[in-house]
Amino acid sequence: MSDKPNPKDPEANSLSGRLSRYAKVGTGVGSAAARVAAGRAFSSGNNHSAEAKLFRQALGSLKGPLMKVAQLLATIPEALPAEFAEELAQLQNEAPAMGWPFVRRRMAAELGADWQDKFKSFEREATAAASLGQVHRAVSHAGEALACKLQYPDMASAVEADLSQLKMLFALHRQISKAIDTTEIAGEIGARLREELDYVREAAHMRLYKAVLADRPDIHIPDLHEDLSTARLITMQWLEGRKLLEFKDATQEVRNLLCRNMFDAWWRPFTSHGVIHGDPHLGNYTAWSDGSGEPQGLNLLDFGCVRVFPPSFVQGVVELYRGLQADDRDRIVSAYEIWGFKGLNNELIDILNVWARFIYGPLLTDKVMSISDGSGSAAQYGRQQAFAVHTQLKEKGPVRVPREFVFMDRAAIGLGSVFIHLRAEMNFHQLFETALRSHELRSVGDRQAKALQAAGVAPAIEAV
Amino acid sequence: MSDLSPHSALHRDKLPKPFSVGLSALDPGDWIVPDMHLADQLREKAEHFEKRREAVLQAEDATLDAQAETLALLLEYLPRTYPDIYKVSGDCVTVDPAGLAYRISDYAHAPLELACRLVQDDLVIMRKGEDGYRIAAAAVCFPSTWVLADKFSKPIAEVHAPVPGFGPGTRTASLIDRIFDNLKVGHPAQRCNWSIYEVADLHHPFSHSTHTRWTDTSGGFFNGTWLRAERQTLTRLPASGDVLFTIQIVVDPVSLLMTHPDRSQIAARLKAHIESLDMEQLAYKGISDHRDAVLAELSMLAEQGQQ
């Protein structure tokens, strides 16, 4: 069921048209709610796609930040079966950007009544609407192009209001499916949303990435303008760039260049400092170019979901890689223990190995290859496997799945789907080996401590 | 499904013109409609019954049968309509998503309490007497600026005395009496109501506080104010002949409007409603001091839809 108005049907776009259409949908205020609340959405046997539609309806009806919740859910592969994620990915029903009187008032609240004097110019129309705020272009007195990301007021209340509804939706879901730990996922989503509201933290992450990738002139991180930033306003350098999807039909060479950059922008901070971008999807990057018009490298745009891992965990990731490489079961098991798995038995180890070989597959193969899991769909990449492995871990457990595992598999899936989108053909093994050689693994802890302190990054908010 | 937002206080059906009776027929199948706040609200209710039972539960002795009738109706309706939420087995009723289980016989002395613990709605049994219908029994955990002890056993017009145009001797008061008289078994009715509050508390017996935050420059009206919507139903109880009045509350932050795809229409609706209020009505709603500021904020949102 599409929410998009039909351009050929003017009535469909008018309020009265919509109202009359919706009036036909059910018998009253409560019909959709009742159907979902009754758990009927989840109890129609094995018809996952019908259930998924109802689930989307329920989430779609919750509005606002919950739209954000739905999008976040879609980025958590183990949260829902693939059919559900596909439905949620269709939820793009966001509010348009707020107008000038509102923006003027909000900016005054953040930077003072004389805020307009602090810019050479400030565009009244937003360039992008987001679910929790919007972005305006501006120019500094020094002539630098700026992006001002302004958060809407009281989003914390809006987020909390909607999270309690999400928990309820999950509580109903749990009555039918015991497959996944929805409490943990609700906790994770809550933490992610709260993090997204914390612009002070995001600004610190931006400083951290600037330092960590300082030796990579091909990967651009925007400069932060601290004097024009607050807890609800981030002002940063405007990075000119084109969306990555625009390069879908570019030459293999160009696509590979962008994907190599993606690979490095994600893996290098991990192997050198134990930090990752937790949500590497296409929208968080653009490609920059010089005068030639050909892309030269990547812009990193979003730092709301950066994860800092204990240095020992970096060792665990490498140990697992080496163990899989040598097919050394003892080394693999000890790597899982470093990852933080507890209560493992042979059956669970076998389940984890299937997953590890899927995720690590491209890194273990020393040849030029493309990423594929057989589904052929970038949106579906890894989802079936992720959901299956989490379901099996739950069934065969109890086992404590460490958060590190969750973040890594999610990010690997995000990265993999970008490579599928851009049809990358690369030797991922050599790229990974190069990343491993570029920094001494034993000193990750020292480097991390210094970088976190210099950037002012506080410890991560615990997800649960 | 942009207009199917039954869980939100911003839903169009929950924002009717204030101070209107606005009663409509209710499909008996939609009598009680649990929403996404079910678990939270039921847990909070349980706490109120444990901590301040007298403040939330009052009943005339002679209403025990009507209370038991109310409970019996719910124990039949709920598991039939929402089998994945409610289960009744022998003497036990469970609300699975909220993790609650009750022994029915434990509430033989106060069936309305158990009824109220099972549903988000507060429940009021209205019984006809010489002065018209009065509150004969009530389980009200989430009052909206009224105190149950003050209203208990009082006729409906007196209950409504503080509401402009609804008090004793008004046309609306006699209309409400007629509605109650004419309510037929099997033909329930519903209406909605809304107000703006400065706190999200469901249990809100106090009158409106001064809305200092509304003119705060850090976000004004949108920062720290709440839209409180009520869905009310009226049902004739077949055995006792009393009227069962239910009130379901949903409280959402006004800031949800910011992110709402239909915010300009909703803001326009709220603006028109507030503009239609006279001084007395504004005072009752607690917005007389900030009417212009609120209207200015709502205009900002409403006008965007016309660009």
Side-chain angles (χ1 to χ4, degrees):
Chain A
M1 192 180 299
S2 170
D3 291 329
K4 288 182 185 150
N6 178 358
K8 290 177 186 165
D9 175 10
E11 175 66 359
N13 288 319
S14 74
L15 177 63
S16 62
R18 287 213 313 282
L19 294 182
S20 65
R21 247 182 324 126
Y22 290 129
K24 291 172 199 153
V25 171
T27 53
V29 175
S31 59
R35 197 166 36 169
V36 174
R40 288 171 208 161
F42 308 110
S43 54
S44 50
N46 292 322
N47 188 354
H48 260 188
S49 59
E51 289 178 31
K53 276 201 178 69
L54 285 169
F55 191 81
R56 171 165 70 89
Q57 254 180 38
L59 271 177
S61 74
L62 299 176
K63 298 283 165 100
L66 222 85
M67 210 60 78
K68 185 83 190 168
V69 166
Q71 287 158 7
L72 283 179
L73 261 176
T75 70
I76 302 181
E78 73 276 16
L80 298 166
E83 298 90 331
F84 283 68
E86 210 170 337
E87 282 293 329
L88 295 190
Q90 295 177 34
L91 284 173
Q92 298 292 339
N93 196 1
E94 286 178 350
M98 299 293 289
W100 178 239
F102 175 86
V103 172
R104 200 172 46 195
R105 182 172 174 153
R106 286 285 303 116
M107 287 297 289
E110 296 305 321
L111 295 179
D114 61 344
W115 71 272
Q116 290 194 70
D117 298 341
K118 296 177 180 176
F119 297 91
K120 189 173 176 186
S121 65
F122 188 97
E123 285 188 11
R124 292 181 167 213
E125 296 286 321
T127 54
S131 51
L132 304 173
Q134 60 192 52
V135 180
H136 288 257
R137 286 189 77 149
V139 178
S140 73
H141 283 300
E144 193 184 0
L146 303 175
C148 298
K149 189 162 102 169
L150 180 63
Q151 192 178 111
Y152 295 148
D154 203 28
M155 281 297 102
S157 299
V159 161
E160 297 306 325
D162 278 347
L163 279 174
S164 69
Q165 301 193 48
L166 178 73
K167 282 181 192 159
M168 179 64 195
L169 201 58
F170 275 154
L172 289 162
H173 183 42
R174 195 162 37 198
Q175 300 312 304
I176 309 300
S177 166
K178 309 280 184 197
I180 50 166
D181 189 341
T182 50
T183 311
E184 186 149 331
I185 286 165
E188 161 69 14
I189 286 181
R192 283 274 296 277
L193 279 170
R194 287 177 202 115
E195 276 176 16
E196 292 213 11
L197 294 176
D198 186 351
Y199 281 5
V200 173
R201 191 168 186 269
E202 187 171 339
H205 285 152
M206 202 184 288
R207 284 191 294 264
L208 177 67
Y209 262 67
K210 189 99 187 159
V212 165
L213 289 168
D215 61 341
R216 292 298 299 258
D218 49 344
I219 301 172
H220 290 177
I221 317 287
D223 289 323
L224 177 70
H225 287 251
E226 311 246 7
D227 54 329
L228 299 172
S229 298
T230 68
R232 289 196 285 203
L233 170 71
I234 293 186
T235 300
M236 66 186 109
Q237 177 191 5
W238 180 275
L239 292 179
E240 210 55 65
R242 288 165 64 192
K243 288 178 180 168
L244 294 192
L245 270 184
E246 289 179 28
F247 297 96
K248 257 183 115 165
D249 298 318
T251 62
Q252 187 70 53
E253 195 187 351
V254 165
R255 285 182 276 123
N256 283 353
L257 170 98
L258 294 173
C259 289
R260 257 199 315 278
N261 268 272
M262 281 285 296
F263 188 96
D264 284 348
W266 196 84
W267 274 109
R268 291 294 182 95
F270 180 74
T271 54
S272 65
H273 290 78
V275 296
I276 61 162
H277 193 298
D279 183 20
H281 69 79
L282 287 166
N284 287 338
Y285 307 85
T286 56
W288 63 269
S289 60
D290 56 14
S292 71
E294 285 296 305
Q296 308 292 316
L298 277 188
N299 296 320
L300 270 57
L301 300 178
D302 190 296
F303 302 86
C305 186
V306 166
R307 301 279 160 211
V308 180
F309 292 129
S312 63
F313 177 67
V314 180
Q315 194 68 38
V317 167
V318 177
E319 272 302 291
L320 183 55
Y321 168 71
R322 297 284 181 218
L324 291 165
Q325 214 173 18
D327 207 11
D328 179 342
R329 193 172 171 95
D330 289 345
R331 196 168 179 179
I332 292 171
V333 173
S334 89
Y336 289 143
E337 281 163 3
I338 300 176
W339 278 53
F341 279 99
K342 291 193 171 65
L344 287 178
N345 56 37
N346 275 331
E347 209 173 6
L348 289 168
I349 290 164
D350 287 341
I351 296 166
L352 281 176
N353 282 352
V354 170
W355 177 236
R357 287 197 180 282
F358 174 76
I359 287 293
Y360 277 79
L363 304 182
L364 293 165
T365 314
D366 187 8
K367 65 171 189 186
V368 172
M369 62 179 290
S370 55
I371 305 272
S372 172
D373 66 345
S375 74
S377 151
Q380 290 289 323
Y381 173 74
R383 291 187 177 281
Q384 305 282 10
Q385 291 84 346
F387 189 70
V389 79
H390 280 267
T391 308
Q392 285 180 48
L393 287 175
K394 186 100 193 288
E395 269 172 24
K396 309 288 182 194
V399 61
R400 182 191 160 270
V401 177
R403 303 214 64 79
E404 287 83 352
F405 173 79
V406 175
F407 293 134
M408 288 299 280
D409 74 5
R410 199 175 300 160
I413 285 171
L415 209 54
S417 70
V418 171
F419 295 154
I420 293 176
H421 267 300
L422 291 177
R423 292 174 289 133
E425 289 180 12
M426 305 192 295
N427 187 324
F428 295 96
H429 172 75
Q430 288 301 334
L431 285 173
F432 190 57
E433 287 288 341
T434 308
L436 290 180
R437 278 195 302 272
S438 65
H439 293 283
E440 178 60 54
L441 274 180
R442 275 174 301 185
S443 47
V444 168
D446 285 345
R447 271 195 300 275
Q448 185 188 79
K450 282 183 193 145
L452 292 186
Q453 196 182 13
V457 173
I461 296 171
E462 279 304 316
V464 177
Chain B
M1 304 302 294
S2 107
D3 264 56
L4 272 180
S5 51
H7 311 301
S8 166
L10 301 176
H11 189 274
R12 63 191 158 87
D13 288 355
K14 293 196 171 135
L15 301 172
K17 188 175 179 341
F19 302 100
S20 55
V21 175
L23 208 64
S24 61
L26 168 67
D27 179 341
D30 287 337
W31 177 30
I32 302 290
V33 183
D35 69 22
M36 292 299 154
H37 302 285
L38 177 74
D40 286 348
Q41 292 197 4
L42 293 198
R43 284 190 210 110
E44 185 174 334
K45 275 187 163 187
E47 203 179 308
H48 288 304
F49 280 114
E50 274 139 38
K51 287 190 178 156
R52 50 187 73 81
R53 193 164 182 277
E54 282 195 5
V56 298
L57 184 70
Q58 295 273 339
E60 295 173 4
D61 292 342
T63 59
L64 202 58
D65 285 351
Q67 292 184 49
E69 184 185 6
T70 301
L71 177 61
L73 286 175
L74 285 172
L75 289 176
E76 189 279 324
Y77 169 87
L78 294 171
R80 168 168 58 80
T81 315
Y82 309 109
D84 292 318
I85 297 178
Y86 296 98
K87 291 183 180 65
V88 177
S89 173
D91 191 30
C92 184
V93 53
T94 58
V95 192
D96 289 346
L100 294 170
Y102 293 107
R103 198 158 47 205
I104 299 164
S105 55
D106 286 350
Y107 294 86
H109 62 293
L112 197 64
E113 177 182 340
L114 177 56
C116 185
R117 283 171 178 263
L118 295 177
V119 293
Q120 288 168 261
D121 310 60
D122 281 332
L123 305 172
V124 180
I125 294 173
M126 310 289 297
R127 176 163 290 180
K128 188 156 190 183
E130 282 177 11
D131 300 322
Y133 283 85
R134 69 177 187 282
I135 298 181
V140 179
C141 293
F142 305 142
S144 305
T145 63
W146 62 287
V147 175
L148 177 56
D150 294 347
K151 310 283 184 187
F152 179 61
S153 267
K154 298 217 169 115
I156 193 159
E158 220 171 300
V159 168
H160 282 150
V163 186
F166 278 63
T170 61
R171 273 184 56 208
T172 315
S174 45
L175 174 65
I176 291 171
D177 276 340
R178 279 204 304 281
I179 288 168
F180 273 62
D181 276 337
N182 292 331
L183 198 65
K184 301 273 187 299
V185 172
H187 296 275
Q190 69 174 341
R191 72 180 289 263
C192 291
N193 194 11
W194 60 274
S195 282
I196 296 165
Y197 280 56
E198 208 178 26
V199 289
D201 300 356
L202 290 162
H203 182 75
H204 195 287
F206 329 102
S207 56
H208 289 285
S209 52
T210 311
H211 295 131
T212 49
R213 281 195 218 118
W214 291 17
T215 46
D216 175 348
T217 52
S218 67
F221 172 54
F222 302 110
N223 202 0
T225 50
W226 304 79
L227 197 59
R228 182 184 179 102
E230 298 179 25
R231 173 182 178 263
Q232 305 170 347
T233 76
L234 289 170
T235 303
R236 172 78 64 197
L237 296 175
S240 64
D242 294 334
V243 170
L244 179 68
F245 177 56
T246 72
I247 314 134
Q248 183 181 17
I249 302 278
V250 56
V251 179
D252 271 330
V254 173
S255 61
L256 266 188
L257 257 182
M258 283 307 91
T259 59
H260 200 293
D262 304 329
R263 69 171 175 232
S264 59
Q265 289 96 325
I266 299 168
R269 177 184 292 261
L270 286 173
K271 180 171 166 273
H273 287 338
I274 292 173
E275 278 171 341
S276 74
L277 302 181
D278 63 27
M279 288 313 289
E280 202 188 352
Q281 291 171 327
L282 284 167
Y284 179 75
K285 290 280 184 192
I287 45 182
S288 41
D289 288 350
H290 303 296
R291 175 187 181 272
D292 294 345
V294 170
L295 287 177
E297 301 265 14
L298 288 171
S299 296
M300 258 181 350
L301 294 190
E303 280 159 18
Q304 277 198 287
Q306 294 159 14
Q307 283 172 5

